[in-house]
Every structure is written in structure tokens, then in C-alpha cells.
Amino acid sequence: MKNNSHFSNLIKKIETKQAVVGVVGLGYVGLPLAAGFADVGFSVVGIELDPRKVSKLNQGISYIPDVPTEQIAPLVENGTFKATINPEVLRNIDIVIICVPTPLDEAGDPDMTSIKGATDMIAKYLHTSQLVCLESTTYPGTVTDLILPKLQTRGMEVGKDFFLAFSPERIDPNNANFRVENTPKVVGGVTQYCTKAAEAIYKEMVVKVVTVSSPATAEMVKIFENTFRAINIGLANEMAIMCQILGLDIWEIIDAADTKPFGFMPFYPGPGIGGHCIPVDPSYLSWKMRSMNYRTRFIELATDINSSMPKYVYRLAVNTLNKADKVIHKSKVLLLGMAYKRDIDDLRESPALDVFELLHEAGADVSYHDSFVPEFNYGKKVIHSVELTKDVLTEADLVIILTDHSTVDYEVVCQHARSLLDTRNATKKIKNPSAHIVKL
Ligand SMILES: NC(=O)c1ccc[n+]([C@@H]2O[C@H](COP(=O)([O-])OP(=O)(O)OC[C@H]3O[C@@H](n4cnc5c(N)ncnc54)[C@H](O)[C@@H]3O)[C@@H](O)[C@H]2O)c1
């Protein structure tokens, strides 16, 4: 590697903690990252479109469960972290990390609006010795085909004047064991200097940095990880359907298979997949491969099975009611857990919303309890969580456990519900339940 003064300047600033880190998009990914860099002594500025989030953060209040207010408040107070909607701060930022959403559009294709918007904003203030790193999950080729051409319009050369890399975010909301700091980070730069610059900054905060040969490799690593999960969950879901037909208990089978010390990793069935990642990310790869005339068959099959699970749960609910001489129309159905996974408040792509809609459309009298989700919008209506009392449980013709939050006492649920459909094996340890229990 030839001597590069812009690179040396940046590395010196990183090593002396003089580098200013900017995080674009302060959501589930951006805020923990910003707090992490501030915690290890960097001056961090968050650039966020939503002024309500900016105002809350600047008062030292967090809105992301994984980043407690007690962590943010002192960082705001001592001036190491601040948030703004003003992109002009980018003039004084040395490292910009992009953490904006990458959803699907109405046609199910990648919606790159936020990445394009963030890149245009950064391009306007791009300066020498600056590192730009994308963390949003996306299809392989985004950094080199979409971001790089936008940044190179100002006459600066990548790898010489400024640096560009991709480093996938692996955060797992509400995972108490693995947080940003102790989860290894994969990094791939456009040039060797780009990779080294990105490695240098992440090394300051994260336990281990794994460098790969290009941004596209790093982009594919992330999509592979999440496609691996989507496909294995799809397999567990189809196994659950087959077990139902065979009269076998899928949960017992997974537990027994999990005693094999090698070659097996447990994945569990459920009412479907949710969140911003697992249901969405594989479609980014499918879209990319379609444009190259290749059909991603595993992804299509897993998507098909996983997205059919809410309907499957609905049919189980109808059958369970039928067996108790009840019809779905006007039956009282209580749903437990609306968030897409345990102990978080995230409703994005939650399969519980689909189950709610199917039951509601069939004329059931549906209510829900979720201590993490006090309300949600259903069309023009706002649906509120009900308090989980003995009466509410007893009055329901059917209770369906959709997400197994640890805030629910399943012993009490099993004692007072008349009929229970458990899609998460939350009632596994309950001995002598009074309720009639049907498991997925
Ligand atoms: N949530 C997760 O568990 C997770 C895990 C790994 C990777 N990811 C990926 O990380 C990315 C971000 O996800 P998230 O869950 O943090 O999303 P989020 O919706 O929680 O946060 C994104 C934030 O970016 C802001 N924003 C959008 N466009 C902007 C712009 N041009 N400038 C400034 N701010 C802007 C939004 O207002 C929002 O606050 C996605 O690509 C996602 O797939 C998410």
C-alpha cells in the first residue's frame, strides 16, 4: 500500500479519539451504535429525519428499549452525544455510518429511497479523509453500484481522498448476551485503505472485526445470515404442519434432536416471521438475482411457507372452536402478544397482525394483551391492549398465544382460559392445566 496522507490523518484521529462519528438514522440499529461509540470516548452526532426523536434524545430520553435512558442521559449531559436534523454537521464529521431503513415497496422490491436520500445528503458535504460506511442491510452491489457513483461526483477519488465500506449490522434486539460491542463485525471496503479505515474505527468499539475482500462480499454475508434463518424457520414451520398431520409434538421432537452435539441447530416454528429483517432481507437477494435471470428457489419456498403461517394458525383456531361446538363468527378470541418476538415492542411485519385481521374479518370478537404494545392502528381504528385479568381469560372462547412475552404468567393463563392455542410452546412447563390446550 502506497503512502496516503488522507488515510493517515483519519487513522491518527481515530487512534487519538479525536475523530467525530456521525450516525445517519437513529433507530433500532443507529441509536445503539451511536451510544456505543460515545461510550468508548468518541464525540458522536446523530443525524435523524424525525424531529421528535431528535428532541427526545437531546433531552437525554431514549425510545429504543436496548438503549436505556440511563445510558443516553449522561452522554448528552457531558456533550459526547447529540442529535440533529441539520445535515450541515457533516462538514465536521470524520466517519459517517448510514443506518437508514431498507424496506420493500408495494411490489415487494427493495425500496432504496432512504439509502439514496442519505447518500445524496452525505455527497453534498463529502470531504477528504472522510469515511462513509453503510450498515443498512441491502443487496450485494449497493455500495459500489449505487453509493459510490453518487459520492464520486465531487471529483474525489475513493480509497485516496475519501473511504467507503460496508459493515452489516448484526444487532439482535433484546438479546441480553450479544450486544453491539461483543458481536464480531464484518467489514468490506471498496479498496484496501477503505477496509483498513473501517476496521480501525470499529476496532475501537467492537470485540472483533473480520475483514472481507469487498463491500459486496460483506453485503452477501449479511443476506446469507438472515436467509439462513428464514429458510430454517420455514423448515421448522413445515415440520410443525407435518407433525400436526401425523399427531406428533414438534416441540418434543426439536428438543430431542437438539441433544445431538453436532450437526443440528434448533429453529422453532411459530405463527410466522416478523421484524424488519428476516421477512425482508431475503427478498433483496431475490430481487438482485431476478435481475440476473436467476430464481432463488429456497428463498421462494421459505417465504411461501412462512407467510402462510398466520392462515394456518387461523385454521387451527377455527378447528379448535369447532371442536367446542363454536363458530368463529362472534366468538370471543383473546390474542396474547402482538410484537413479532418476545419482550420487544416492535410490530413491524408481525404475523400477529395478520392473525388479528383474519379473525376480525371472519367476524370474531378479537381483543389482545401485550404489555409492550399498548395500542396499534388497524385501518382507521386504534386497538388497545386489554388488561390480562382472570375474567378476561375466562370470558374468551379461545386464547391464542402468538408471542411468548416473559411478562405473562402462563400458569394463570392455563388456569383460567377455557381453550388455548399455543403457537410458541409457552405452556411447556405447566403441569395439570385446566384449559384445553392445542399446540402448533
Ligand atoms: N432492527 C434490527 O434488528 C436490525 C438488525 C440488523 C440490521 N438492520 C438493518 O438496519 C437498517 C436500519 O434498521 P432499523 O431497524 O434501525 O430502522 P428504524 O426504522 O428503526 O430506524 C431508521 C431511522 O432512520 C431514519 N431515517 C430514514 N431516512 C433518513 C435519512 N435520509 N436521514 C436521516 N435519518 C433517516 C428514520 O427516521 C429512523 O429513525 C435496515 O437496513 C435494517 O434492515 C436492522
Side-chain angles (χ1 to χ4, degrees):
M1 282 167 80
K2 280 191 276 169
N3 194 21
N4 178 325
S5 60
H6 295 311
F7 174 76
S8 309
N9 287 344
L10 178 61
I11 296 297
K12 201 184 290 167
K13 278 189 165 182
I14 291 172
E15 284 171 356
T16 56
K17 298 242 161 75
Q18 298 302 304
V20 180
V21 177
V23 176
V24 180
L26 296 170
Y28 286 91
V29 163
L31 191 57
L33 196 72
F37 278 116
D39 272 341
V40 296
F42 285 94
S43 174
V44 179
V45 183
I47 303 159
E48 167 57 55
L49 280 186
D50 184 343
R52 287 165 305 178
K53 290 185 179 173
V54 168
S55 155
K56 269 197 162 173
L57 290 174
N58 286 336
Q59 293 169 58
I61 304 165
S62 173
Y63 44 80
I64 297 284
D66 275 352
V67 183
T69 286
E70 301 82 72
Q71 185 184 2
I72 283 292
L75 298 172
V76 172
E77 204 164 304
N78 68 23
T80 34
F81 173 73
K82 65 170 187 249
T84 180
I85 54 165
N86 184 359
E88 284 186 22
V89 292
L90 283 163
R91 285 187 215 281
N92 300 316
I93 284 173
D94 302 291
I95 294 139
V96 203
I97 304 178
I98 308 173
C99 304
V100 298
T102 43
L104 298 173
D105 64 16
E106 277 181 6
D109 292 338
D111 177 352
M112 305 303 281
T113 320
S114 297
I115 289 197
K116 285 181 185 161
T119 309
D120 288 336
M121 173 180 82
I122 293 164
K124 214 166 144 194
Y125 302 98
L126 189 71
H127 53 79
T128 52
S129 293
Q130 198 174 32
L131 165 68
V132 180
C133 188
L134 177 67
E135 288 220 6
S136 305
T137 309
T138 183
Y139 57 84
T142 304
V143 163
T144 42
D145 303 347
L146 194 147
I147 296 187
L148 182 59
K150 282 180 183 288
L151 298 184
Q152 292 219 120
T153 52
R154 304 198 66 211
M156 278 190 277
E157 195 183 321
V158 69
K160 180 171 163 278
D161 304 311
F162 76 97
F163 309 95
L164 177 61
F166 182 80
S167 179
E169 179 51 60
R170 288 167 149 175
I171 202 162
D172 181 19
N174 192 42
N175 187 327
N177 297 325
F178 290 102
R179 330 229 359 125
V180 186
E181 317 81 65
N182 65 350
T183 305
K185 201 112 178 65
V186 173
V187 160
V190 175
T191 68
Q192 277 188 45
Y193 277 122
C194 296
T195 305
K196 289 223 163 291
E199 183 186 20
I201 182 64
Y202 285 115
K203 252 176 38 193
E204 296 288 328
M205 200 257 284
V206 176
V207 64
K208 186 177 178 191
V209 179
V210 179
T211 59
V212 293
S213 57
S214 66
T217 305
E219 287 160 340
M220 192 63 163
V221 169
K222 174 69 188 180
I223 298 253
F224 185 27
E225 289 169 5
N226 281 0
T227 301
F228 173 84
R229 285 191 63 73
I231 287 173
N232 279 288
I233 295 169
L235 176 63
N237 280 332
E238 196 179 29
M239 282 285 175
I241 294 169
M242 290 192 271
C243 284
Q244 195 74 241
I245 296 167
L246 292 166
L248 297 171
D249 181 342
I250 181 66
W251 307 96
E252 184 189 358
I253 289 160
I254 294 172
D255 282 351
D258 192 26
T259 58
K260 187 181 176 188
F262 49 87
F264 184 83
M265 184 189 278
F267 282 85
Y268 298 96
I273 50 175
H276 188 11
C277 300
I278 310 296
V280 174
D281 301 350
S283 301
Y284 269 65
L285 182 58
S286 294
W287 173 86
K288 175 73 185 173
M289 296 317 299
R290 259 200 318 277
S291 77
M292 302 176 90
N293 234 356
Y294 184 89
R295 238 185 85 205
T296 49
R297 289 160 292 169
F298 261 124
I299 294 177
E300 281 174 27
L301 182 58
T303 305
D304 190 32
I305 292 169
N306 290 331
S307 59
S308 71
M309 288 312 285
K311 215 169 227 166
Y312 182 72
V313 169
Y314 166 76
R315 283 202 301 272
L316 280 182
V318 171
N319 287 347
T320 309
L321 284 166
N322 281 349
K323 283 191 184 142
D325 289 332
K326 298 223 157 79
V327 287
I328 191 81
H329 189 70
K330 296 222 161 105
S331 278
K332 271 183 182 271
V333 182
L334 172 68
L335 307 181
L336 298 184
M338 291 305 289
Y340 83 87
K341 76 172 203 181
R342 182 190 303 158
D343 294 351
I344 63 163
D345 63 353
D346 197 346
L347 266 186
R348 291 179 295 181
E349 314 287 331
S350 177
L353 296 170
D354 295 329
V355 175
F356 180 94
E357 179 158 28
L358 287 163
L359 292 164
H360 178 80
E361 280 183 355
D365 175 2
V366 202
S367 57
Y368 84 97
H369 168 80
D370 189 321
S371 56
F372 294 86
V373 183
E375 59 180 45
F376 69 90
N377 294 327
Y378 179 67
K380 285 185 183 146
K381 281 196 219 154
V382 180
I383 315 287
H384 295 274
S385 170
V386 298
E387 207 185 322
L388 194 59
T389 61
K390 287 173 190 167
D391 286 348
V392 164
L393 286 165
T394 318
E395 281 162 19
D397 296 303
L398 179 65
V399 176
I400 310 180
I401 301 171
L402 292 173
T403 298
D404 50 345
H405 290 315
S406 62
T407 46
V408 168
D409 185 338
Y410 295 101
E411 186 99 45
V412 171
V413 172
C414 287
Q415 237 171 37
H416 297 281
R418 280 181 280 160
S419 198
L420 186 58
L421 172 53
D422 182 0
T423 69
R424 299 285 190 175
N425 205 20
T427 56
K428 178 182 175 181
K429 294 198 178 124
I430 312 293
K431 298 210 171 65
N432 308 317
S434 318
H436 164 66
I437 301 179
V438 174
K439 280 192 192 172
L440 183 69

